[in-house]
Amino acid sequence: TQATGARLVPIAVRDAWAATGWENGRLGYPTGDPQAVAGGTRQTFQGGTVTVSATGQATVQLD
């Protein structure tokens, strides 16, 4: 969207985002690019974050 811009969404993050209803779900659109965090990757969305561990386990945290 014009509000959040185009964002790269890794496959594991995309799958978790899809499970919440994509942009129409509680997460909304991604607002940041994926960032490396201890043990994995995290990406911010309008309504929360998706964190994926190095083993591929995704965790969704809603605001």
Side-chain angles (χ1 to χ4, degrees):
T1 72
Q2 283 193 323
T4 62
R7 302 293 177 183
L8 172 71
V9 180
I11 292 171
V13 173
R14 183 203 64 198
D15 291 347
W17 182 32
T20 69
W22 299 102
E23 68 276 5
N24 295 314
R26 295 206 38 210
L27 281 173
Y29 286 100
T31 58
D33 292 324
Q35 300 293 316
V37 295
T41 302
R42 178 175 295 140
Q43 188 156 13
T44 59
F45 288 78
Q46 291 171 313
T49 60
V50 175
T51 304
V52 179
S53 71
T55 60
Q57 179 68 33
T59 303
V60 174
Q61 180 158 351
L62 300 172
D63 289 340

